[in-house]
């Protein structure tokens, strides 16, 4: 059944060179890079703050997998990490992942950054419709308190994580695991106050890592009596004042991240698990006997969702063989982290295990890397749109590497510069000069191999 809506005129709110939709890691990379290329940039964000999953799901220890490896953060991510730390410090008493952000300070820092770059940010701005003219976007429609309003740009970048703009423009997509289309679980993170930091760290121990390991063993032995199917219990920062800034536990499985009925069910299901894990930790560990729930993340967070059909679909085979692409726009340490969409945890944990089934977690090994081609950011069928972040064109297992926050920021940078070159050259993003794009990205701090060095 469907209702018919009468056509109506949509007021034009603003115009710009480059419109970025979604203010998460990829959107920040795109907006800042396009602005640094001299573009007039508008950044639309449906929430009231920037940072995407870092700030909305408390995912503060983004680059934990680079610990004890030769790799360092690059480009805008490295700059934000350094400047945010210099400006606000970071009260992390754990030696584990010292570089984790404090996501509340990050919110403050990102507000300053976008203003410094001259980017116009509009919060509370959900985009779910576009006006097409042939195969080009004529404008996007923002749902506001004053009704729908249009924004027009010369180039558009979709960094919504769910590829909402590409979807609205008619770009094809895949979602979830090949075959059953199941996505990784959605998670509602939490923060706990009142932990006994001194005891958790006494004699050089890392009490939270110990608790995480004990939890997994207890879960597998059937001793926790918890309803949530998640077996891992990763923690974030532990402050001197007893705040555990991030508990990544409460997961709901089998949800479609784009379906409001599933989202509503998932939010409530996860919040019951938030209370369960809080109570379990409080009654089980002496160091945590005084904890309280300090906050519950404002929204369920997803690791994967729609993945666009682009000019090139990045595959796990490309990544495993470190295939070189002439249009490479980012090089990243080989790493995958896929929470089994069906909560099946008994695979061997590698990309080779059980036909990519089960939980896949591959550590960074030696200096192995993979490349992201620009063509994976270029959607099929729409002329003036680029896509960056976790929803680029990739297969499901490949996405479990592509989704890394700092890499999303790098693909965002690729899209930001690509869109700027398209504006300057009055061409479509797919036709920009790749050598110039790569040169610009190098100057923005990305480590792109030169043709000779490839
Ligand atoms: C619980 C959890 C733990 C994780 N742990 C890690 C980790 O340790 N390390 C790591 O590297 N990665 C981790 N990830 C994955 C990582 O968070 C994401 O892959 C990454 O944030 C993707 O960045 P993005 O910019 O593509 O999308 P997002 O971070 O999802 O940002 C998208 C932004 O767009 C906005 N938006 C969405 N739709 C619209 C719309 N229609 N209109 C306007 N705005 C819109 C959103 O509000 C959001 O701000 C984790 C994810 C979760 C959920």
């Amino acid at each position: 059944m469907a209702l018919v809506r009468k056509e109506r005129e949509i007021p034009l709110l603003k115009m710009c060179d480059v419109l970025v939709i979604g203010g998460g890691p990829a959107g920040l990379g795109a907006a800042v890079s396009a602005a640094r290329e001299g573009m007039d940039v508008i950044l639309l964000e449906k929430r009231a703050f920037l940072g995407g999953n870092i700030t909305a799901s408390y995912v503060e220890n983004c680059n934990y997998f680079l610990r004890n490896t030769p790799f360092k953060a690059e480009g805008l991510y490295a700059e934000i990490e350094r400047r945010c730390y210099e400006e606000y410090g970071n009260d992390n008493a754990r030696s584990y992942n010292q570089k984790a952000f404090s996501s509340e300070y990050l919110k403050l820092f990102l507000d300053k950054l976008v203003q410094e770059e001259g980017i116009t940010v509009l919060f509370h701005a959900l985009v779910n419709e576009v006006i097409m003219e042939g195969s080009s976007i004529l404008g996007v429609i923002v749902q506001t308190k004053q009704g729908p309003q249009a924004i027009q740009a010369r180039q558009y970048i979709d960094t919504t994580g769910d590829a909402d703009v590409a979807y609205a423009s008619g770009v094809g997509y895949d979602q979830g695991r090949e075959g059953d289309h199941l996505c990784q679980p959605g998670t509602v993170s939490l923060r706990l106050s009142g932990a006994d930091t001194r005891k958790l760290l006494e004699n050089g121990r890392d009490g939270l890592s110990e608790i995480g390991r004990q939890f997994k063993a207890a879960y597998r032995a059937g001793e926790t009596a918890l309803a949530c199917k998640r077996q891992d219990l990763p923690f974030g920062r532990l402050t001197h004042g007893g705040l555990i800034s991030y508990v990544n536990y409460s997961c709901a499985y089998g949800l479609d991240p784009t379906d409001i009925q599933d989202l509503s069910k998932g939010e409530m299901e996860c919040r019951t698990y938030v209370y369960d894990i809080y109570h379990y930790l409080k009654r089980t560990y002496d160091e945590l006997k005084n904890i309280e729930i300090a906050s519950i993340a404002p929204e369920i967070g997803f690791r994967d969702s729609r993945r666009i059909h682009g000019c090139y679909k990045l595959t796990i085979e490309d990544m495993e063989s470190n295939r070189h692409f002439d249009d490479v726009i980012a090089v990243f340490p080989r790493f995958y982290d896929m929470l089994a969409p069906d909560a099946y945890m008994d695979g061997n944990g590698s990309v080779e295990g059980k036909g990519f089934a089960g939980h896949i977690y591959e550590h960074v090994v030696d200096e192995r890397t993979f490349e992201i081609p620009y063509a994976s950011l270029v959607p099929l069928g729409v002329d003036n749109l680029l896509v960056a972040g976790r929803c680029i064109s990739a297969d499901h297992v490949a996405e479990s590497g592509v989704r890394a926050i700092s890499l999303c920021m790098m693909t965002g940078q690729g899209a930001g510069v690509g869109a700027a070159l398209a504006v300057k050259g009055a061409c479509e993003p797919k036709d920009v000069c790749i050598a110039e794009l790569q040169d610009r990205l190098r100057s923005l701090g990305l480590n792109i191999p030169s043709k000779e060095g490839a």
Side-chain angles (χ1 to χ4, degrees):
M1 217 169 80
L3 305 182
V4 178
R5 187 172 65 174
K6 251 175 75 183
E7 287 295 319
R8 61 188 268 200
E9 287 191 353
I10 310 286
L12 182 61
L13 180 65
K14 280 182 184 294
M15 297 171 84
C16 62
D17 293 327
V18 177
L19 179 63
V20 180
I21 305 104
L28 288 160
V32 170
S33 301
R36 288 182 181 173
E37 290 295 311
M39 295 292 106
D40 175 19
V41 179
I42 297 178
L43 174 58
L44 301 178
E45 168 53 50
K46 75 179 167 91
R47 296 186 179 119
F49 50 86
L50 298 171
N53 276 337
I54 311 178
T55 44
S57 285
Y58 306 160
V59 185
E60 298 186 332
N61 40 329
C62 319
N63 267 350
Y64 69 92
F65 47 86
L66 297 188
R67 276 189 341 132
N68 307 324
T69 77
F71 296 100
K72 298 216 172 346
E74 290 175 27
L76 183 65
Y77 186 91
E79 179 185 331
I80 292 177
E81 192 175 65
R82 177 181 54 76
R83 290 181 56 193
C84 190
Y85 190 88
E86 277 168 12
E87 197 149 337
Y88 297 99
N90 177 355
D91 183 19
N92 186 7
R94 284 177 94 187
S95 58
Y96 177 81
N97 206 11
Q98 267 301 318
K99 287 203 160 169
F101 290 112
S102 156
S103 64
E104 299 305 329
Y105 292 143
L106 184 67
K107 279 182 194 164
L108 305 178
F109 176 76
L110 293 176
D111 283 351
K112 280 196 199 176
L113 176 70
V114 288
Q115 291 177 73
E116 199 178 284
E117 299 292 340
I119 297 164
T120 302
V121 176
L122 298 176
F123 290 126
H124 304 282
L126 177 90
V127 175
N128 60 0
E129 274 186 88
V130 299
I131 303 171
M132 297 296 291
E133 190 175 64
S135 53
S136 292
I137 299 175
L138 187 64
V140 303
I141 300 181
V142 190
Q143 305 301 335
T144 81
K145 287 280 187 189
Q146 296 174 339
Q149 299 190 323
I151 300 189
Q152 223 177 4
R154 295 170 72 186
Q155 294 296 333
Y156 299 82
I157 304 178
D158 181 344
T159 47
T160 58
D162 297 318
D164 286 350
V165 181
Y167 170 74
S169 314
V171 176
Y173 66 94
D174 297 313
Q175 187 171 311
R177 191 160 63 176
E178 283 79 14
D180 60 15
H181 307 296
L182 281 178
C183 290
Q184 298 186 58
T187 304
V188 174
S189 307
L190 64 144
R191 290 193 171 119
L192 296 167
S193 59
D196 189 334
T197 301
R198 196 185 49 77
K199 266 198 190 152
L200 283 165
L201 299 179
E202 72 190 354
N203 302 323
R205 69 188 278 244
D206 181 7
L208 291 180
S209 292
E210 286 169 21
I211 290 172
R213 283 193 293 274
Q214 286 162 16
F215 177 83
K216 189 164 187 168
Y219 191 101
R220 290 192 159 200
E223 290 163 9
T224 61
L226 293 172
C228 178
K229 293 181 192 153
R230 173 94 146 124
Q231 300 184 12
D232 291 313
L233 182 57
F235 295 100
R237 290 177 304 124
L238 170 66
T239 70
H240 291 94
L243 179 77
I244 301 174
S245 68
Y246 168 53
V247 184
N248 170 358
Y249 174 73
S250 318
C251 285
Y253 290 78
L255 304 176
D256 175 346
T258 66
D259 176 331
I260 56 165
Q261 298 184 80
D262 275 18
L263 289 169
S264 307
K265 177 174 159 280
E267 298 279 8
M268 288 198 254
E269 182 180 335
C270 286
R271 282 198 282 269
T272 67
Y273 301 150
V274 162
Y275 186 77
D276 289 349
I277 193 67
Y278 147 73
H279 205 254
Y280 174 84
L281 291 170
K282 192 175 174 85
R283 69 173 184 264
T284 310
Y285 294 99
D286 189 51
E287 304 93 318
L288 303 179
K289 67 178 182 219
N290 293 321
I291 54 171
E292 292 298 334
I293 297 176
S295 65
I296 300 175
E299 212 176 290
I300 191 167
F302 285 94
R303 297 160 176 86
D304 67 316
S305 175
R306 297 187 189 105
R307 305 183 309 278
I308 59 148
H309 290 171
C311 288
Y312 185 80
K313 182 180 191 172
L314 186 70
T315 66
I316 185 70
E317 290 79 16
D318 294 332
M319 289 160 73
E320 281 298 271
S321 62
N322 191 15
R323 177 168 175 191
H324 174 65
F325 296 97
D326 286 343
D327 61 344
V328 51
I329 48 113
V331 180
F332 203 70
R334 171 189 171 274
F335 159 81
Y336 313 96
D337 183 6
M338 156 106 67
L339 274 65
D342 48 11
Y344 172 69
M345 295 290 286
D346 294 332
N348 70 6
S350 76
V351 289
E352 276 107 34
K354 313 231 171 171
F356 301 149
H359 181 212
I360 296 170
Y361 184 87
E362 289 272 6
H363 293 275
V364 175
V365 180
D366 303 326
E367 298 192 1
R368 284 181 71 179
T369 54
F370 62 80
E371 295 188 357
I372 305 275
Y374 180 64
S376 293
L377 278 55
V378 182
L380 286 172
V382 179
D383 300 336
N384 53 351
L385 176 67
L386 286 168
V387 175
R390 61 187 163 93
C391 47
I392 65 170
S393 184
D395 71 31
H396 192 231
V397 184
E399 195 273 348
S400 72
V402 164
R403 76 179 178 94
I405 285 171
S406 51
L407 179 55
C408 288
M409 208 171 274
M410 290 157 82
T411 56
Q413 292 198 261
V417 175
L421 292 181
V423 169
K424 289 179 198 170
C427 63
E428 293 174 14
K430 71 171 168 39
D431 296 325
V432 301
C433 169
I434 295 297
E436 195 181 353
L437 170 66
Q438 292 170 331
D439 270 350
R440 300 301 310 136
L441 290 172
R442 283 187 199 103
S443 76
L444 292 173
L446 297 195
N447 195 3
I448 314 273
S450 59
K451 208 160 188 187
E452 304 78 60

